[in-house]
Amino acid sequence: MPLTKHLSVAIIDSNPALGKSNFIKKEDPPDPRVKIGAWQYVQQHRHAYFDKMQVWDYTGLGYTKYNARDVNKEILGCVVENKVLHSSLLSCMQNTEFRKTIYPSRLTSMALLPSSSSISVDSTPSATTLFTKGHLAKLDLSDGKSLYAKLVVGADGGKSRVRELAGFKTTGWSYSQNAIICTVEHNKENYCAWQRFLPAGPIALLPIGDNFSNIVWTMNPKDASDCKSMNEDDFVKILNHALDYGYGPHPKSISSGSVDMFSWFRGDATLSAKECFEVPPRVVKLASERMVFPLSLKHANNYVSKRVVLIGDAAHTVHPLAGQGVNLGFGDASTLSRIIAEGIAVGADIGEVSLLKKYEAERKPANIVMMAVLDGFQKAYSVDFGPLNILRAAAFHGAQYISPLKRNIISYASGEQRLPLPLPLFT
């Protein structure tokens, strides 16, 4: 931003890929970790747009289809590999005119002193003086270097060292579930995002381009361990079973007479409301290793303190069933950038709590609502109980045939609308 171009930014990241000018090769197999977002540089590498989405339940009682044309768009989203996003962000930084230095190191300690007397305007104080007066934070790195900063942004993930050193408290719990993720190959290209809710957790199939898709499959820890260790043929077999007839029948399309039940409040029918249930493309083989991650919910009680602010997974981790974790982080980054620019515009100290609290006030409620929605879905779809199954089916039917509801879900999940509507959607 014009107001922030003069800032000197240090990026502390021990990822060895940051030291390479080009670490994406077209012949490389797809990265099983995927993100959805970012642009100009992402388009130079492998990525996959999708214009359709299908979500359904293992009971066979209901399904929902989304189509970009429901909201007069060409696409619903785009799936991007983790390494492609990292490379693209690095390219963006390198080609943008602002003062930045990348430190391929780790943060070992951080010191913050209380503010004391103001600095004399008749002299140019040293960083050490500013630190002792409480006007800077001091960061010690694993390579022996020390840095001083007006503001420390903890964007270092769910096990945030910044959060730990700054003393932020968190609230959360483990789901006693693991996610197994991998890249798979089909006989044809996949242009649809698929999600099926199974008894132990959801399974998602996300297009990644070139006949590849990514799998995110939630299950109990023992089953995840078994799936990781079994041979490839057996894994592909149970994978196709889970995406097809496994655990229950295919949902049936509602008859035209039943659809008319929704006519009094559905508005103009969306195109996807007329689409029948489809079976996902079969997986023919694995294209990556299988990785397993434990799932949990964690939320920092506060996002800011003097000279420190948390964003992304450092501030909040969520269940992956709707693919919203990284999108929440993008929202944090965008809001924080704007708040910093607004502070500079009025001559504020960008590390002051009074300024940073504006960021927290905007992002914390939005993040808490999304976390509550995702946690509610995780719990609702972890119980196989007759009346609850019927309620879930009703929710699927409502999303499928009530047009205003469906359009609002798409708008919210794509970030165009702020009030949440609790239905699963990958974005």
Side-chain angles (χ1 to χ4, degrees):
M1 295 180 180
L3 285 169
T4 60
K5 285 173 64 174
H6 70 283
L7 295 177
S8 179
V9 180
I11 297 101
I12 304 169
D13 195 330
S14 59
N15 184 348
L18 289 175
K20 301 177 183 178
S21 59
N22 183 11
F23 61 96
I24 300 291
K25 297 180 180 178
K26 185 172 179 58
E27 62 271 18
D28 285 348
D31 191 327
R33 291 176 298 170
V34 295
K35 307 281 193 279
I36 303 174
W39 252 200
Q40 175 186 351
Y41 300 94
V42 167
Q43 292 177 315
Q44 299 172 13
H45 301 294
R46 181 167 45 215
H47 58 286
Y49 290 104
F50 60 92
D51 61 358
K52 294 189 300 182
M53 186 178 309
Q54 179 175 284
V55 185
W56 72 108
D57 186 83
Y58 70 93
T59 62
L61 296 176
Y63 72 97
T64 302
K65 303 199 74 165
Y66 302 92
N67 192 306
R69 293 176 296 169
D70 292 341
V71 288
N72 299 314
K73 295 182 180 293
E74 294 183 359
I75 60 168
L76 285 176
C78 186
V79 184
V80 182
E81 297 165 54
N82 196 51
K83 63 184 178 183
V84 168
L85 184 58
H86 281 186
S87 174
S88 299
L89 291 172
L90 182 60
S91 296
C92 184
M93 286 193 300
Q94 291 171 337
N95 295 320
T96 302
E97 293 183 1
F98 74 97
R99 293 185 293 163
K100 67 275 186 183
T101 305
I102 296 176
Y103 293 86
S105 186
R106 295 185 305 277
L107 178 64
T108 57
S109 65
M110 182 169 62
L112 300 154
L113 299 179
S115 298
S116 58
S117 59
S118 60
I119 303 298
S120 171
V121 296
D122 298 326
S123 62
T124 303
S126 66
T128 303
T129 300
L130 289 169
F131 166 66
T132 57
K133 298 291 186 179
H135 296 278
L136 292 176
K138 181 184 179 184
L139 296 88
D140 296 318
L141 309 185
S142 57
D143 59 6
K145 292 186 175 70
S146 293
L147 303 175
Y148 294 89
K150 287 184 177 180
L151 177 63
V152 180
V153 181
D156 50 344
K159 297 179 180 180
S160 172
R161 180 68 170 156
V162 172
R163 185 183 66 217
E164 177 187 355
L165 292 173
F168 287 98
K169 303 298 182 183
T170 62
T171 301
W173 49 83
S174 169
Y175 284 118
S176 299
Q177 291 179 319
N178 286 354
I180 184 163
I181 66 174
C182 59
T183 302
V184 297
E185 188 172 348
H186 311 285
N187 285 326
K188 60 182 180 179
E189 191 155 0
N190 174 28
Y191 295 100
C192 181
W194 313 81
Q195 185 179 40
R196 187 186 188 200
F197 284 93
L198 302 176
I203 181 171
L205 182 73
L206 304 173
I208 195 63
D210 299 332
N211 290 12
F212 294 108
S213 292
N214 280 98
I215 292 289
V216 183
W217 190 355
T218 301
M219 58 184 71
N220 67 59
K222 182 182 182 305
D223 288 344
S225 178
D226 292 342
C227 283
K228 181 177 170 60
S229 61
M230 70 175 54
N231 68 59
E232 178 178 332
D233 289 343
D234 287 343
F235 180 72
V236 169
K237 183 177 179 180
I238 66 166
L239 189 57
N240 283 315
H241 184 66
L243 288 166
D244 198 342
Y245 273 111
Y247 306 97
H250 294 164
K252 294 181 180 179
S253 300
I254 293 183
S255 65
S256 59
S258 299
V259 174
D260 288 340
M261 293 168 53
F262 298 100
S263 61
W264 64 279
F265 63 115
R266 66 177 176 169
D268 297 332
T270 57
L271 293 169
S272 59
K274 303 173 184 177
E275 296 177 0
C276 296
F277 174 84
E278 296 178 76
V279 178
R282 288 189 64 79
V283 172
V284 295
K285 65 178 182 179
L286 276 175
S288 78
E289 64 173 329
R290 285 159 277 180
M291 297 188 290
V292 176
F293 296 96
L295 302 181
S296 63
L297 180 147
K298 184 180 291 185
H299 188 252
N301 297 344
N302 296 292
Y303 290 5
V304 307
S305 63
K306 188 173 178 63
R307 310 224 170 273
V308 183
V309 60
L310 304 178
I311 68 172
D313 283 3
H316 43 75
T317 57
V318 298
H319 196 286
L321 67 85
Q324 288 291 337
V326 74
N327 288 344
L328 293 178
F330 289 152
D332 292 347
S334 177
T335 299
L336 180 60
S337 298
R338 174 171 49 79
I339 295 296
I340 290 173
E342 290 173 357
I344 291 173
V346 297
D349 180 344
I350 63 172
E352 280 297 329
V353 174
S354 57
L355 176 67
L356 299 177
K357 279 290 185 182
K358 295 179 181 178
Y359 154 76
E360 182 178 289
E362 183 170 331
R363 290 304 302 164
K364 195 173 183 180
N367 291 335
I368 288 176
V369 168
M370 177 58 77
M371 294 176 77
V373 168
L374 299 181
D375 185 60
F377 263 98
Q378 188 277 332
K379 289 177 168 57
Y381 283 90
S382 297
V383 179
D384 186 6
F385 178 58
L388 185 57
N389 293 346
I390 295 172
L391 286 174
R392 292 198 304 246
F396 277 118
H397 290 320
Q400 174 70 349
Y401 296 107
I402 302 174
S403 303
L405 177 60
K406 177 175 287 189
R407 292 190 179 103
N408 282 330
I409 292 169
I410 296 174
S411 295
Y412 174 64
S414 62
E416 296 176 358
Q417 181 173 307
R418 305 197 64 166
L419 291 176
L421 288 159
L423 286 167
L425 192 66
F426 282 92
T427 61

